[in-house]
Amino acid sequence: MAITVVTPTLNDVQWLADHETGEGMVVSCYADTSVASGVRPLWREHLKNEVKRIGETLADSPAARAELQRNVAAIEAVLSSRRLARARGVAVFAASQRNLLRTYALASQAPNRLVVNEEPYLVPLLELLHRQRRYLVVHTNTHRGRLYTAIPGAVRLIEEISEEVPKRHRAAGERWGKQQATIARHREHHILHYFKELAGEIARAWPDERYDGIVLLGEHEVLQQVRTHLPAHLARRIVREAPYAWVGRQASLESKINAIHEDALREHDREVLEDVKRRLMEQHHIAIGPQAVIDAIVYDEVGYRGSVVMEPDRGDVASRCTGCGSLFAQVLAQCPSCHGPCEKTNLWQAIALLAAGHHVSVDFVGAGQGLEKHGGAVAVLAREEVAPEAVLTASLPERRA
Ligand SMILES: [Zn+2]
């Protein structure tokens, strides 16, 4: 069996969402294949338990049980493949009656999960995509630098530069002072030249990708120099700086980036929740509850720098009109506007997909943060006074310029 493993993009999620109707069931499986989950991967046990549990609910239908077994066998074969050895997480979608078997390698861990439904379960995938950030990473000392493009889990070198800087001499003698002063001037000249060149490389690399921010790695004094040489619009995009030696034993660049990313996301979530709390108190520039969120997205009220903020999926059911495509945060047999028949869909998935289609970013936040009183979902609406640009913005979906 050929297994195609790709890192998912929003297009893949859209593709899966568009293929959500058809005969039979879709089995969606998320497996935590990271080393951190244990020496013995726990997904196998989880999968077995879930198959048993779901199988029991299908006791009345031997055909459905057989279909479940067929799909699970296909998923197990995929998960056991050596080609997935390096993935931190894996998502597999199997629907034997629709001839569907799709595998995605995930750059981040995803909790083990098995869902059987008429449509693929895409919420964890959407969550990962919305939390993904792409950084331009600059690692430098006074005369050598490397530029990387990095998403957590995948770091790639894109540029390396260096400048010959005269060494400090430990010379002695009567001309010592004068010589040292000349060498020091030379050194300064070369170092200055190096920082200018580095700033130039950063400015050249920035437009190549849709970066969410710049990460500077090195000694603080050196990084201050880099900052002062960067044009203002790029200096504003520095999201983090951290010490990282040029040589020596230390954490791998990949794990350094992962830690910075985690830290930046935590801060981002805190800022988002503070903003939501303030708006809820003022009852201003905020759409409260799933239906209001849907309407705000459809009527373009969220806008640039606004976002949808959602708790973890509650498994609520929404209705989508098969005629006009309208989405309703409740179960309806018939569309109130065009009277077409409605089909059921997962509410959280439908909102996240709708947001993606309107280039609105979604912040998935933890449970128990105060959103439970408001239907678990709110939308932060566009307004004039917004936080400084230094705040991380999501790379997905694409933002309007
Ligand atoms: Zn309709």
Side-chain angles (χ1 to χ4, degrees), residues 43-88:
W43 61 261
R44 234 175 250 283
E45 219 168 315
H46 182 266
L47 189 64
K48 210 174 92 190
N49 293 339
E50 283 300 282
V51 169
K52 185 161 174 274
R53 185 183 64 79
I54 296 167
E56 278 161 11
T57 67
L58 301 173
D60 304 344
S61 170
R65 282 176 72 111
E67 195 186 343
L68 174 68
Q69 291 300 339
R70 246 194 326 274
N71 283 315
V72 168
I75 289 169
E76 272 196 291
V78 168
L79 289 177
S80 305
S81 159
R82 277 157 185 259
R83 295 195 51 196
L84 292 168
R86 286 201 63 209
R88 304 178 81 203

mmCIF file of all heavy atoms in Angstrom, residues 43-88:
data_model
loop_
_atom_site.group_PDB
_atom_site.id
_atom_site.type_symbol
_atom_site.label_atom_id
_atom_site.label_comp_id
_atom_site.label_asym_id
_atom_site.label_seq_id
_atom_site.Cartn_x
_atom_site.Cartn_y
_atom_site.Cartn_z
ATOM 1 N N TRP A 43 -0.609 5.301 21.342
ATOM 2 C CA TRP A 43 -1.735 5.389 20.416
ATOM 3 C C TRP A 43 -2.356 4.026 20.138
ATOM 4 O O TRP A 43 -3.560 3.904 19.943
ATOM 5 C CB TRP A 43 -1.346 6.094 19.117
ATOM 6 C CG TRP A 43 -0.266 5.438 18.300
ATOM 7 C CD1 TRP A 43 1.056 5.772 18.263
ATOM 8 C CD2 TRP A 43 -0.411 4.340 17.395
ATOM 9 N NE1 TRP A 43 1.744 4.960 17.403
ATOM 10 C CE2 TRP A 43 0.862 4.074 16.849
ATOM 11 C CE3 TRP A 43 -1.483 3.559 16.981
ATOM 12 C CZ2 TRP A 43 1.095 3.048 15.925
ATOM 13 C CZ3 TRP A 43 -1.255 2.546 16.062
ATOM 14 C CH2 TRP A 43 0.014 2.288 15.544
ATOM 15 N N ARG A 44 -1.512 2.954 20.127
ATOM 16 C CA ARG A 44 -2.007 1.612 19.822
ATOM 17 C C ARG A 44 -3.092 1.177 20.813
ATOM 18 O O ARG A 44 -4.149 0.688 20.435
ATOM 19 C CB ARG A 44 -0.843 0.620 19.876
ATOM 20 C CG ARG A 44 -0.694 -0.211 18.631
ATOM 21 C CD ARG A 44 0.560 -1.070 18.742
ATOM 22 N NE ARG A 44 1.585 -0.618 17.822
ATOM 23 C CZ ARG A 44 1.557 -0.872 16.514
ATOM 24 N NH1 ARG A 44 0.554 -1.547 15.989
ATOM 25 N NH2 ARG A 44 2.512 -0.448 15.733
ATOM 26 N N GLU A 45 -2.772 1.422 22.091
ATOM 27 C CA GLU A 45 -3.695 1.041 23.148
ATOM 28 C C GLU A 45 -4.985 1.882 23.068
ATOM 29 O O GLU A 45 -6.084 1.361 23.196
ATOM 30 C CB GLU A 45 -3.007 1.293 24.485
ATOM 31 C CG GLU A 45 -3.276 0.247 25.517
ATOM 32 C CD GLU A 45 -2.319 0.433 26.671
ATOM 33 O OE1 GLU A 45 -1.112 0.648 26.404
ATOM 34 O OE2 GLU A 45 -2.779 0.391 27.816
ATOM 35 N N HIS A 46 -4.764 3.182 22.864
ATOM 36 C CA HIS A 46 -5.893 4.102 22.748
ATOM 37 C C HIS A 46 -6.807 3.691 21.595
ATOM 38 O O HIS A 46 -8.030 3.651 21.734
ATOM 39 C CB HIS A 46 -5.373 5.522 22.552
ATOM 40 C CG HIS A 46 -6.463 6.541 22.479
ATOM 41 N ND1 HIS A 46 -7.004 6.955 21.288
ATOM 42 C CD2 HIS A 46 -7.132 7.200 23.447
ATOM 43 C CE1 HIS A 46 -7.949 7.841 21.525
ATOM 44 N NE2 HIS A 46 -8.049 8.004 22.819
ATOM 45 N N LEU A 47 -6.208 3.376 20.471
ATOM 46 C CA LEU A 47 -6.956 2.993 19.279
ATOM 47 C C LEU A 47 -7.790 1.745 19.572
ATOM 48 O O LEU A 47 -8.977 1.677 19.236
ATOM 49 C CB LEU A 47 -5.978 2.740 18.125
ATOM 50 C CG LEU A 47 -6.571 2.523 16.728
ATOM 51 C CD1 LEU A 47 -7.288 3.771 16.250
ATOM 52 C CD2 LEU A 47 -5.475 2.164 15.720
ATOM 53 N N LYS A 48 -7.163 0.774 20.213
ATOM 54 C CA LYS A 48 -7.843 -0.486 20.517
ATOM 55 C C LYS A 48 -9.075 -0.241 21.407
ATOM 56 O O LYS A 48 -10.169 -0.732 21.135
ATOM 57 C CB LYS A 48 -6.858 -1.438 21.225
ATOM 58 C CG LYS A 48 -7.145 -2.904 20.946
ATOM 59 C CD LYS A 48 -6.061 -3.798 21.541
ATOM 60 C CE LYS A 48 -6.451 -4.228 22.931
ATOM 61 N NZ LYS A 48 -5.360 -4.890 23.665
ATOM 62 N N ASN A 49 -8.863 0.581 22.458
ATOM 63 C CA ASN A 49 -9.964 0.883 23.384
ATOM 64 C C ASN A 49 -11.102 1.618 22.683
ATOM 65 O O ASN A 49 -12.271 1.338 22.912
ATOM 66 C CB ASN A 49 -9.460 1.731 24.558
ATOM 67 C CG ASN A 49 -8.514 0.941 25.434
ATOM 68 O OD1 ASN A 49 -8.531 -0.290 25.410
ATOM 69 N ND2 ASN A 49 -7.678 1.637 26.184
ATOM 70 N N GLU A 50 -10.718 2.578 21.839
ATOM 71 C CA GLU A 50 -11.736 3.373 21.155
ATOM 72 C C GLU A 50 -12.531 2.521 20.162
ATOM 73 O O GLU A 50 -13.738 2.678 20.024
ATOM 74 C CB GLU A 50 -11.077 4.556 20.432
ATOM 75 C CG GLU A 50 -10.685 5.691 21.348
ATOM 76 C CD GLU A 50 -11.889 6.271 22.070
ATOM 77 O OE1 GLU A 50 -12.657 7.034 21.478
ATOM 78 O OE2 GLU A 50 -12.062 5.924 23.259
ATOM 79 N N VAL A 51 -11.838 1.641 19.458
ATOM 80 C CA VAL A 51 -12.510 0.772 18.488
ATOM 81 C C VAL A 51 -13.514 -0.112 19.216
ATOM 82 O O VAL A 51 -14.643 -0.312 18.758
ATOM 83 C CB VAL A 51 -11.481 -0.083 17.707
ATOM 84 C CG1 VAL A 51 -12.177 -1.166 16.890
ATOM 85 C CG2 VAL A 51 -10.646 0.807 16.799
ATOM 86 N N LYS A 52 -13.126 -0.588 20.405
ATOM 87 C CA LYS A 52 -14.015 -1.452 21.200
ATOM 88 C C LYS A 52 -15.254 -0.649 21.620
ATOM 89 O O LYS A 52 -16.381 -1.105 21.456
ATOM 90 C CB LYS A 52 -13.244 -1.940 22.436
ATOM 91 C CG LYS A 52 -13.999 -2.944 23.275
ATOM 92 C CD LYS A 52 -13.030 -3.715 24.166
ATOM 93 C CE LYS A 52 -13.794 -4.630 25.110
ATOM 94 N NZ LYS A 52 -14.215 -3.934 26.348
ATOM 95 N N ARG A 53 -14.996 0.579 22.119
ATOM 96 C CA ARG A 53 -16.092 1.423 22.604
ATOM 97 C C ARG A 53 -17.064 1.774 21.466
ATOM 98 O O ARG A 53 -18.281 1.635 21.601
ATOM 99 C CB ARG A 53 -15.515 2.701 23.214
ATOM 100 C CG ARG A 53 -16.538 3.622 23.866
ATOM 101 C CD ARG A 53 -15.897 4.908 24.376
ATOM 102 N NE ARG A 53 -15.345 5.736 23.302
ATOM 103 C CZ ARG A 53 -16.070 6.523 22.516
ATOM 104 N NH1 ARG A 53 -17.380 6.592 22.661
ATOM 105 N NH2 ARG A 53 -15.501 7.237 21.565
ATOM 106 N N ILE A 54 -16.495 2.230 20.328
ATOM 107 C CA ILE A 54 -17.352 2.632 19.208
ATOM 108 C C ILE A 54 -18.057 1.404 18.609
ATOM 109 O O ILE A 54 -19.221 1.471 18.238
ATOM 110 C CB ILE A 54 -16.523 3.391 18.139
ATOM 111 C CG1 ILE A 54 -15.993 4.698 18.738
ATOM 112 C CG2 ILE A 54 -17.357 3.681 16.897
ATOM 113 C CD1 ILE A 54 -14.929 5.394 17.933
ATOM 114 N N GLY A 55 -17.344 0.266 18.579
ATOM 115 C CA GLY A 55 -17.915 -0.979 18.057
ATOM 116 C C GLY A 55 -19.170 -1.373 18.821
ATOM 117 O O GLY A 55 -20.150 -1.848 18.232
ATOM 118 N N GLU A 56 -19.133 -1.136 20.149
ATOM 119 C CA GLU A 56 -20.295 -1.492 20.972
ATOM 120 C C GLU A 56 -21.527 -0.660 20.614
ATOM 121 O O GLU A 56 -22.657 -1.144 20.672
ATOM 122 C CB GLU A 56 -19.958 -1.326 22.463
ATOM 123 C CG GLU A 56 -19.214 -2.545 23.006
ATOM 124 C CD GLU A 56 -18.457 -2.267 24.290
ATOM 125 O OE1 GLU A 56 -18.662 -1.187 24.895
ATOM 126 O OE2 GLU A 56 -17.650 -3.127 24.676
ATOM 127 N N THR A 57 -21.296 0.594 20.217
ATOM 128 C CA THR A 57 -22.440 1.437 19.831
ATOM 129 C C THR A 57 -23.016 0.992 18.488
ATOM 130 O O THR A 57 -24.115 1.397 18.119
ATOM 131 C CB THR A 57 -22.048 2.931 19.726
ATOM 132 O OG1 THR A 57 -21.146 3.086 18.618
ATOM 133 C CG2 THR A 57 -21.368 3.438 20.982
ATOM 134 N N LEU A 58 -22.240 0.200 17.743
ATOM 135 C CA LEU A 58 -22.713 -0.276 16.429
ATOM 136 C C LEU A 58 -23.197 -1.720 16.496
ATOM 137 O O LEU A 58 -23.293 -2.410 15.477
ATOM 138 C CB LEU A 58 -21.579 -0.172 15.394
ATOM 139 C CG LEU A 58 -20.978 1.213 15.146
ATOM 140 C CD1 LEU A 58 -19.765 1.124 14.235
ATOM 141 C CD2 LEU A 58 -22.014 2.153 14.542
ATOM 142 N N ALA A 59 -23.512 -2.187 17.731
ATOM 143 C CA ALA A 59 -23.871 -3.592 17.939
ATOM 144 C C ALA A 59 -25.003 -4.067 17.029
ATOM 145 O O ALA A 59 -25.013 -5.211 16.584
ATOM 146 C CB ALA A 59 -24.245 -3.816 19.404
ATOM 147 N N ASP A 60 -25.933 -3.156 16.712
ATOM 148 C CA ASP A 60 -27.096 -3.541 15.901
ATOM 149 C C ASP A 60 -26.776 -3.695 14.417
ATOM 150 O O ASP A 60 -27.599 -4.190 13.656
ATOM 151 C CB ASP A 60 -28.219 -2.476 16.013
ATOM 152 C CG ASP A 60 -28.608 -2.236 17.445
ATOM 153 O OD1 ASP A 60 -28.248 -3.078 18.283
ATOM 154 O OD2 ASP A 60 -29.247 -1.202 17.720
ATOM 155 N N SER A 61 -25.628 -3.195 14.022
ATOM 156 C CA SER A 61 -25.350 -3.183 12.584
ATOM 157 C C SER A 61 -24.033 -3.901 12.270
ATOM 158 O O SER A 61 -22.962 -3.293 12.301
ATOM 159 C CB SER A 61 -25.295 -1.739 12.088
ATOM 160 O OG SER A 61 -24.797 -1.712 10.777
ATOM 161 N N PRO A 62 -24.109 -5.187 11.937
ATOM 162 C CA PRO A 62 -22.895 -5.936 11.606
ATOM 163 C C PRO A 62 -22.150 -5.320 10.417
ATOM 164 O O PRO A 62 -20.917 -5.338 10.373
ATOM 165 C CB PRO A 62 -23.415 -7.334 11.252
ATOM 166 C CG PRO A 62 -24.798 -7.400 11.802
ATOM 167 C CD PRO A 62 -25.331 -6.012 11.841
ATOM 168 N N ALA A 63 -22.888 -4.746 9.482
ATOM 169 C CA ALA A 63 -22.256 -4.150 8.297
ATOM 170 C C ALA A 63 -21.390 -2.956 8.706
ATOM 171 O O ALA A 63 -20.266 -2.799 8.231
ATOM 172 C CB ALA A 63 -23.329 -3.712 7.301
ATOM 173 N N ALA A 64 -21.933 -2.125 9.613
ATOM 174 C CA ALA A 64 -21.186 -0.946 10.071
ATOM 175 C C ALA A 64 -19.956 -1.374 10.875
ATOM 176 O O ALA A 64 -18.883 -0.767 10.764
ATOM 177 C CB ALA A 64 -22.095 -0.047 10.906
ATOM 178 N N ARG A 65 -20.116 -2.434 11.666
ATOM 179 C CA ARG A 65 -18.969 -2.932 12.449
ATOM 180 C C ARG A 65 -17.860 -3.422 11.528
ATOM 181 O O ARG A 65 -16.678 -3.154 11.767
ATOM 182 C CB ARG A 65 -19.413 -4.073 13.366
ATOM 183 C CG ARG A 65 -20.142 -3.595 14.605
ATOM 184 C CD ARG A 65 -20.619 -4.776 15.404
ATOM 185 N NE ARG A 65 -19.511 -5.461 16.073
ATOM 186 C CZ ARG A 65 -19.355 -5.449 17.394
ATOM 187 N NH1 ARG A 65 -20.210 -4.791 18.153
ATOM 188 N NH2 ARG A 65 -18.359 -6.074 17.950
ATOM 189 N N ALA A 66 -18.266 -4.099 10.476
ATOM 190 C CA ALA A 66 -17.283 -4.615 9.502
ATOM 191 C C ALA A 66 -16.585 -3.447 8.803
ATOM 192 O O ALA A 66 -15.361 -3.474 8.586
ATOM 193 C CB ALA A 66 -17.977 -5.507 8.483
ATOM 194 N N GLU A 67 -17.359 -2.413 8.489
ATOM 195 C CA GLU A 67 -16.790 -1.240 7.825
ATOM 196 C C GLU A 67 -15.792 -0.541 8.751
ATOM 197 O O GLU A 67 -14.731 -0.093 8.321
ATOM 198 C CB GLU A 67 -17.924 -0.287 7.424
ATOM 199 C CG GLU A 67 -17.489 0.764 6.418
ATOM 200 C CD GLU A 67 -18.577 1.791 6.137
ATOM 201 O OE1 GLU A 67 -19.748 1.525 6.457
ATOM 202 O OE2 GLU A 67 -18.231 2.861 5.613
ATOM 203 N N LEU A 68 -16.162 -0.446 10.032
ATOM 204 C CA LEU A 68 -15.267 0.150 11.025
ATOM 205 C C LEU A 68 -13.946 -0.632 11.078
ATOM 206 O O LEU A 68 -12.869 -0.037 11.034
ATOM 207 C CB LEU A 68 -15.939 0.166 12.409
ATOM 208 C CG LEU A 68 -15.062 0.629 13.572
ATOM 209 C CD1 LEU A 68 -14.722 2.118 13.448
ATOM 210 C CD2 LEU A 68 -15.763 0.391 14.924
ATOM 211 N N GLN A 69 -14.057 -1.969 11.145
ATOM 212 C CA GLN A 69 -12.862 -2.812 11.213
ATOM 213 C C GLN A 69 -11.970 -2.625 9.981
ATOM 214 O O GLN A 69 -10.752 -2.561 10.094
ATOM 215 C CB GLN A 69 -13.248 -4.301 11.354
ATOM 216 C CG GLN A 69 -13.865 -4.662 12.697
ATOM 217 C CD GLN A 69 -12.928 -4.373 13.878
ATOM 218 O OE1 GLN A 69 -11.718 -4.270 13.721
ATOM 219 N NE2 GLN A 69 -13.500 -4.211 15.062
ATOM 220 N N ARG A 70 -12.597 -2.540 8.822
ATOM 221 C CA ARG A 70 -11.846 -2.345 7.575
ATOM 222 C C ARG A 70 -11.053 -1.037 7.621
ATOM 223 O O ARG A 70 -9.869 -0.999 7.303
ATOM 224 C CB ARG A 70 -12.824 -2.296 6.385
ATOM 225 C CG ARG A 70 -12.675 -3.456 5.423
ATOM 226 C CD ARG A 70 -13.396 -3.253 4.087
ATOM 227 N NE ARG A 70 -14.647 -2.518 4.115
ATOM 228 C CZ ARG A 70 -15.854 -3.055 4.368
ATOM 229 N NH1 ARG A 70 -15.963 -4.336 4.639
ATOM 230 N NH2 ARG A 70 -16.941 -2.303 4.345
ATOM 231 N N ASN A 71 -11.732 0.028 8.046
ATOM 232 C CA ASN A 71 -11.072 1.337 8.098
ATOM 233 C C ASN A 71 -9.966 1.376 9.152
ATOM 234 O O ASN A 71 -8.898 1.943 8.931
ATOM 235 C CB ASN A 71 -12.108 2.434 8.380
ATOM 236 C CG ASN A 71 -12.928 2.768 7.151
ATOM 237 O OD1 ASN A 71 -12.390 2.925 6.061
ATOM 238 N ND2 ASN A 71 -14.237 2.863 7.320
ATOM 239 N N VAL A 72 -10.239 0.746 10.299
ATOM 240 C CA VAL A 72 -9.243 0.740 11.369
ATOM 241 C C VAL A 72 -8.008 -0.055 10.950
ATOM 242 O O VAL A 72 -6.870 0.332 11.241
ATOM 243 C CB VAL A 72 -9.857 0.198 12.684
ATOM 244 C CG1 VAL A 72 -8.777 -0.095 13.705
ATOM 245 C CG2 VAL A 72 -10.863 1.204 13.248
ATOM 246 N N ALA A 73 -8.226 -1.152 10.225
ATOM 247 C CA ALA A 73 -7.087 -1.956 9.740
ATOM 248 C C ALA A 73 -6.204 -1.110 8.820
ATOM 249 O O ALA A 73 -4.968 -1.147 8.913
ATOM 250 C CB ALA A 73 -7.600 -3.196 9.021
ATOM 251 N N ALA A 74 -6.850 -0.319 7.963
ATOM 252 C CA ALA A 74 -6.098 0.547 7.044
ATOM 253 C C ALA A 74 -5.309 1.595 7.834
ATOM 254 O O ALA A 74 -4.146 1.874 7.539
ATOM 255 C CB ALA A 74 -7.052 1.220 6.066
ATOM 256 N N ILE A 75 -5.947 2.151 8.868
ATOM 257 C CA ILE A 75 -5.296 3.176 9.686
ATOM 258 C C ILE A 75 -4.111 2.581 10.454
ATOM 259 O O ILE A 75 -3.024 3.174 10.510
ATOM 260 C CB ILE A 75 -6.323 3.810 10.660
ATOM 261 C CG1 ILE A 75 -7.303 4.696 9.872
ATOM 262 C CG2 ILE A 75 -5.623 4.629 11.745
ATOM 263 C CD1 ILE A 75 -8.500 5.169 10.673
ATOM 264 N N GLU A 76 -4.301 1.399 11.005
ATOM 265 C CA GLU A 76 -3.207 0.751 11.747
ATOM 266 C C GLU A 76 -2.007 0.482 10.852
ATOM 267 O O GLU A 76 -0.866 0.659 11.263
ATOM 268 C CB GLU A 76 -3.703 -0.553 12.366
ATOM 269 C CG GLU A 76 -4.300 -0.352 13.737
ATOM 270 C CD GLU A 76 -4.429 -1.656 14.499
ATOM 271 O OE1 GLU A 76 -5.266 -2.464 14.067
ATOM 272 O OE2 GLU A 76 -3.704 -1.845 15.489
ATOM 273 N N ALA A 77 -2.286 0.063 9.621
ATOM 274 C CA ALA A 77 -1.198 -0.203 8.672
ATOM 275 C C ALA A 77 -0.415 1.077 8.398
ATOM 276 O O ALA A 77 0.819 1.083 8.357
ATOM 277 C CB ALA A 77 -1.762 -0.775 7.379
ATOM 278 N N VAL A 78 -1.141 2.189 8.253
ATOM 279 C CA VAL A 78 -0.492 3.475 7.998
ATOM 280 C C VAL A 78 0.361 3.886 9.200
ATOM 281 O O VAL A 78 1.531 4.256 9.061
ATOM 282 C CB VAL A 78 -1.544 4.573 7.705
ATOM 283 C CG1 VAL A 78 -0.906 5.939 7.745
ATOM 284 C CG2 VAL A 78 -2.202 4.332 6.358
ATOM 285 N N LEU A 79 -0.217 3.789 10.389
ATOM 286 C CA LEU A 79 0.489 4.239 11.598
ATOM 287 C C LEU A 79 1.725 3.403 11.900
ATOM 288 O O LEU A 79 2.648 3.869 12.556
ATOM 289 C CB LEU A 79 -0.470 4.231 12.800
ATOM 290 C CG LEU A 79 -1.553 5.305 12.806
ATOM 291 C CD1 LEU A 79 -2.470 5.139 13.994
ATOM 292 C CD2 LEU A 79 -0.939 6.705 12.813
ATOM 293 N N SER A 80 1.741 2.166 11.436
ATOM 294 C CA SER A 80 2.891 1.301 11.695
ATOM 295 C C SER A 80 4.012 1.527 10.684
ATOM 296 O O SER A 80 5.089 0.961 10.806
ATOM 297 C CB SER A 80 2.460 -0.163 11.646
ATOM 298 O OG SER A 80 1.390 -0.380 12.535
ATOM 299 N N SER A 81 3.743 2.362 9.688
ATOM 300 C CA SER A 81 4.734 2.601 8.639
ATOM 301 C C SER A 81 5.973 3.317 9.179
ATOM 302 O O SER A 81 5.875 4.237 9.981
ATOM 303 C CB SER A 81 4.108 3.434 7.523
ATOM 304 O OG SER A 81 5.114 4.064 6.764
ATOM 305 N N ARG A 82 7.127 2.892 8.691
ATOM 306 C CA ARG A 82 8.378 3.519 9.094
ATOM 307 C C ARG A 82 8.479 4.958 8.592
ATOM 308 O O ARG A 82 9.236 5.749 9.132
ATOM 309 C CB ARG A 82 9.567 2.753 8.491
ATOM 310 C CG ARG A 82 9.983 1.557 9.276
ATOM 311 C CD ARG A 82 10.717 0.577 8.383
ATOM 312 N NE ARG A 82 11.015 -0.631 9.133
ATOM 313 C CZ ARG A 82 12.209 -0.891 9.639
ATOM 314 N NH1 ARG A 82 13.194 -0.052 9.461
ATOM 315 N NH2 ARG A 82 12.421 -1.996 10.317
ATOM 316 N N ARG A 83 7.742 5.253 7.543
ATOM 317 C CA ARG A 83 7.841 6.588 6.956
ATOM 318 C C ARG A 83 7.345 7.663 7.903
ATOM 319 O O ARG A 83 7.593 8.837 7.712
ATOM 320 C CB ARG A 83 7.047 6.649 5.646
ATOM 321 C CG ARG A 83 7.625 5.734 4.586
ATOM 322 C CD ARG A 83 7.077 6.064 3.244
ATOM 323 N NE ARG A 83 7.196 7.496 2.953
ATOM 324 C CZ ARG A 83 6.535 8.090 1.999
ATOM 325 N NH1 ARG A 83 5.693 7.419 1.271
ATOM 326 N NH2 ARG A 83 6.690 9.381 1.792
ATOM 327 N N LEU A 84 6.614 7.255 8.923
ATOM 328 C CA LEU A 84 6.081 8.232 9.868
ATOM 329 C C LEU A 84 6.960 8.357 11.116
ATOM 330 O O LEU A 84 6.608 9.044 12.059
ATOM 331 C CB LEU A 84 4.658 7.846 10.276
ATOM 332 C CG LEU A 84 3.636 7.951 9.155
ATOM 333 C CD1 LEU A 84 2.341 7.281 9.541
ATOM 334 C CD2 LEU A 84 3.394 9.414 8.811
ATOM 335 N N ALA A 85 8.108 7.683 11.090
ATOM 336 C CA ALA A 85 8.951 7.615 12.285
ATOM 337 C C ALA A 85 9.299 8.988 12.854
ATOM 338 O O ALA A 85 9.398 9.157 14.063
ATOM 339 C CB ALA A 85 10.205 6.835 11.977
ATOM 340 N N ARG A 86 9.462 9.979 11.973
ATOM 341 C CA ARG A 86 9.920 11.284 12.471
ATOM 342 C C ARG A 86 8.787 12.247 12.802
ATOM 343 O O ARG A 86 9.023 13.316 13.355
ATOM 344 C CB ARG A 86 10.872 11.927 11.456
ATOM 345 C CG ARG A 86 12.250 11.262 11.450
ATOM 346 C CD ARG A 86 13.285 12.185 10.858
ATOM 347 N NE ARG A 86 13.462 13.401 11.655
ATOM 348 C CZ ARG A 86 13.834 14.567 11.140
ATOM 349 N NH1 ARG A 86 14.044 14.689 9.873
ATOM 350 N NH2 ARG A 86 13.988 15.621 11.916
ATOM 351 N N ALA A 87 7.565 11.893 12.457
ATOM 352 C CA ALA A 87 6.436 12.798 12.709
ATOM 353 C C ALA A 87 6.129 12.842 14.201
ATOM 354 O O ALA A 87 6.214 11.846 14.890
ATOM 355 C CB ALA A 87 5.219 12.340 11.927
ATOM 356 N N ARG A 88 5.762 14.012 14.691
ATOM 357 C CA ARG A 88 5.415 14.146 16.124
ATOM 358 C C ARG A 88 3.966 13.747 16.350
ATOM 359 O O ARG A 88 3.570 13.376 17.434
ATOM 360 C CB ARG A 88 5.678 15.574 16.586
ATOM 361 C CG ARG A 88 7.113 15.998 16.330
ATOM 362 C CD ARG A 88 7.348 17.425 16.739
ATOM 363 N NE ARG A 88 7.561 17.535 18.172
ATOM 364 C CZ ARG A 88 7.367 18.642 18.866
ATOM 365 N NH1 ARG A 88 6.931 19.715 18.267
ATOM 366 N NH2 ARG A 88 7.603 18.678 20.150
#
